[in-house]
Amino acid sequence: MLAQPTILVVGNATTPASLDDLTAFAFDVADRLQFPARVAVGMDYVVTEYEAVVLADDWLDAVPSVVLGVEAQSADVPCLTADEVYAYPINDACGWCGETGNAVPALVGDTWTPSVHVACVPTLRRASTRPLAVAA
């Protein structure tokens, strides 16, 4: 398993537009489930290293995402659909300081963090070794 429980978000990432859509969906996954959400690009992932796999609506539209989705299901890794993710409310509690209000996920490399306040980002950035981008 990874150092921190992380969810793998699987969907069509074969074009720049579909990758943008998948990345935006992974933001929603991190925001609603309050787990880091990694965007799967290609097939070079070991699905059993993740707490769960979230299958975007278009996961059956591309070979890499079909392979990862089927691997996860075959390995009995918990799999959630987009509809199941959207059943959870948006969470505005900061995963760094714990206070509520105006917290959103931040993108660190290819992974969205759980929601954080903009004021907590400098501290989070110092704690991270990867580039950090905050959603507007």
Side-chain angles (χ1 to χ4, degrees), residues 75-90:
D76 289 329
V77 173
C79 293
L80 295 108
T81 65
D83 288 339
E84 290 170 318
V85 169
Y86 286 120
Y88 287 84
I90 293 172

Side-chain angles (χ1 to χ4, degrees), residues 41-57:
V41 179
M43 296 184 296
D44 195 21
Y45 299 88
V46 179
V47 295
T48 56
E49 292 182 353
Y50 294 87
E51 288 295 309
V53 170
V54 173
L55 303 171
D57 286 335

Side-chain angles (χ1 to χ4, degrees), residues 52-101:
V53 170
V54 173
L55 303 171
D57 286 335
D58 64 355
W59 76 280
L60 291 171
D61 294 346
V63 172
S65 54
V66 169
V67 169
L68 290 174
V70 170
E71 283 180 1
Q73 292 169 338
S74 297
D76 289 329
V77 173
C79 293
L80 295 108
T81 65
D83 288 339
E84 290 170 318
V85 169
Y86 286 120
Y88 287 84
I90 293 172
N91 191 328
D92 71 345
C94 180
W96 189 259
C97 72
E99 294 181 16
T100 59

Side-chain angles (χ1 to χ4, degrees), residues 76-135:
D76 289 329
V77 173
C79 293
L80 295 108
T81 65
D83 288 339
E84 290 170 318
V85 169
Y86 286 120
Y88 287 84
I90 293 172
N91 191 328
D92 71 345
C94 180
W96 189 259
C97 72
E99 294 181 16
T100 59
N102 298 323
V104 295
L107 187 60
V108 179
D110 61 354
T111 305
W112 288 104
T113 68
S115 298
V116 293
H117 289 120
V118 172
C120 293
V121 169
T123 305
L124 182 62
R125 186 173 284 133
R126 285 191 297 273
S128 175
T129 59
R130 297 188 287 179
L132 181 69
V134 179

